């Protein structure tokens, strides 16, 4: 199974950007741990961009079986990204490191979430692992049917 993780704007700064909100673990560390843990069940690819069109281009290249996406600020206003997710048929989970529903009012709305199978918010970087657990089990169960 090929699992794609896509991160939106400013997530390239994970580990150093607002550590009181996003923690001090880098995405490199998160990916290393995920690749170790899921080595037997998934190949993990990663893509990050600060540009909406680059994210959409990568998502439209459907060379993956399941998707974890953290759209960053695009979560709250990118109807283009929402439309793209709507057309992706594989299982997908939206992840947010911080608890978006406890933050500023503009961050409490996700235009992308309705086009995913689940949303994890507020679990820190552990959300990526929880999403991977769900997706690897869900994808394997659907394959066996």
């Amino acid at each position: 199974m090929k699992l794609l993780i896509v991160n939106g704007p400013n997530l390239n700064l994970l580990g150093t950007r607002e550590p009181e909100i996003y923690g001090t673990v880098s995405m490199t560390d998160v990916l290393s741990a995920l690749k170790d843990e899921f080595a037997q069940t998934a190949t993990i690819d990663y893509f990050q961009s600060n540009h909406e069109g680059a994210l959409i281009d990568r998502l439209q290249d459907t060379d993956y079986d399941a998707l974890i996406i953290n759209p960053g600020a695009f979560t709250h206003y990118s109807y283009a990204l929402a439309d793209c997710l709507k057309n992706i048929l594989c299982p997908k989970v939206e992840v947010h490191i911080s608890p978006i529903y406890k933050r500023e009012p503009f961050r409490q709305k996700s235009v992308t979430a309705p086009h995913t199978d689940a949303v994890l918010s507020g679990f820190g970087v552990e959300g990526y692992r929880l999403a991977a657990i769900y997706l690897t089990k869900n994808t394997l169960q659907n394959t066996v049917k």
Side-chain angles (χ1 to χ4, degrees):
M1 178 186 133
K2 187 172 178 183
L3 175 60
L4 176 63
I5 300 173
V6 172
N7 274 345
N10 297 310
L11 287 159
N12 56 310
L13 302 175
L14 191 58
T16 59
R17 174 184 172 228
E18 299 179 270
E20 67 281 1
I21 296 174
Y22 301 105
T24 57
V25 178
S26 73
M27 196 63 201
T28 301
D29 293 336
V30 171
L31 289 169
S32 178
L34 289 173
K35 287 178 180 181
D36 286 346
E37 182 172 349
F38 293 93
Q40 300 301 313
T41 55
T43 300
I44 298 175
D45 282 353
Y46 177 68
F47 182 79
Q48 187 280 327
S49 181
N50 294 318
H51 305 281
E52 184 179 36
L55 295 171
I56 292 168
D57 286 344
R58 177 60 186 102
L59 291 169
Q60 288 179 349
D61 183 10
T62 56
D63 61 342
Y64 49 91
D65 303 304
L67 172 67
I68 297 171
I69 184 165
N70 183 340
F74 292 138
T75 300
H76 316 294
Y77 66 88
S78 177
Y79 293 100
L81 192 55
D83 285 346
C84 178
L85 288 169
K86 185 177 185 180
N87 288 302
I88 295 171
L89 302 179
C90 73
K92 48 197 175 287
V93 175
E94 182 170 305
V95 170
H96 298 285
I97 296 166
S98 70
I100 64 171
Y101 303 107
K102 287 185 168 186
R103 298 196 56 199
E104 305 93 328
F106 80 91
R107 292 188 199 274
Q108 294 177 15
K109 170 117 172 109
S110 172
V111 300
T112 52
H115 307 295
T116 63
D117 299 301
V119 177
L120 290 164
S121 173
F123 289 93
V125 295
E126 180 72 2
Y128 292 98
R129 181 177 170 273
L130 296 171
I133 290 169
Y134 169 78
L135 289 168
T136 55
K137 288 184 178 182
N138 186 50
T139 302
L140 288 173
Q141 287 173 355
N142 286 339
T143 303
V144 173
K145 290 182 182 176

